[in-house]
Amino acid sequence: MPTCRHCSSTYPREQFIHGNGPMTQVCVRCAVDKGLVSKDDAVNMYDSGLGSARLQVLARRYSIFLYIPLLWTLWIMVIKDVQPWGLYFLLVLLALTLLTPIWFIYRGGQYSGDLARLTPAYDRPEGH
Ligand SMILES: [Zn+2]
């Protein structure tokens, strides 16, 4: 993946503008900031609304991997010694931990579809 000359960020090729000289290796966000392309021409730019919608989809997909260690920590620190809820919570936690990878794989298609829906239609120029 190429690196932008101005902001030094690495993006996929689709996130760069097409051109020579000052327009070489410039990401679309820097190009709009520096006036190299107008915002209307930058169809491949993720504006703040689209960016946050994409982040929300991403967070929904991966947040379960934050919750599971949190719940295990909660169980170890608080509920483990409480009878009988410690055991019940352990069983639920085990089921959740074992089902999460299956659920993650199962929802992969939905995630790809959501991200594709939130990706602007943009044809990369020839040779770029
Ligand atoms: Zn840049």
Side-chain angles (χ1 to χ4, degrees):
M1 281 198 281
T3 306
C4 174
R5 284 194 297 143
H6 293 293
C7 63
S8 303
S9 300
T10 305
Y11 298 115
R13 230 340 143 188
E14 283 75 16
Q15 292 294 302
F16 282 78
I17 59 167
H18 191 57
N20 295 320
M23 296 170 89
T24 311
Q25 296 288 90
V26 179
C27 75
V28 67
R29 183 168 299 274
C30 291
V32 170
D33 285 349
K34 296 187 183 303
L36 295 172
V37 293
S38 72
K39 200 167 183 177
D40 297 328
D41 292 336
V43 288
N44 52 342
M45 189 172 96
Y46 299 162
D47 61 12
S48 58
L50 188 62
S52 70
R54 288 175 66 90
L55 183 66
Q56 198 177 355
V57 169
L58 191 90
R60 203 181 307 144
R61 177 151 172 83
Y62 291 98
S63 61
I64 188 75
F65 294 112
L66 286 176
Y67 284 120
I68 285 183
L70 193 78
L71 288 173
W72 276 107
T73 307
L74 185 76
W75 180 76
I76 289 167
M77 292 179 75
V78 181
I79 311 176
K80 193 168 95 175
D81 297 324
V82 178
Q83 294 294 340
W85 297 107
L87 182 67
Y88 297 162
F89 199 82
L90 175 68
L91 293 175
V92 169
L93 209 52
L94 276 175
L96 198 68
T97 305
L98 293 174
L99 287 176
T100 294
I102 299 165
W103 182 250
F104 187 76
I105 293 166
Y106 176 72
R107 296 291 290 180
Q110 174 82 42
Y111 171 74
S112 305
D114 284 345
L115 269 195
R117 189 168 47 79
L118 294 171
T119 304
Y122 173 68
D123 287 328
R124 208 154 83 181
E126 193 76 27
H128 193 64

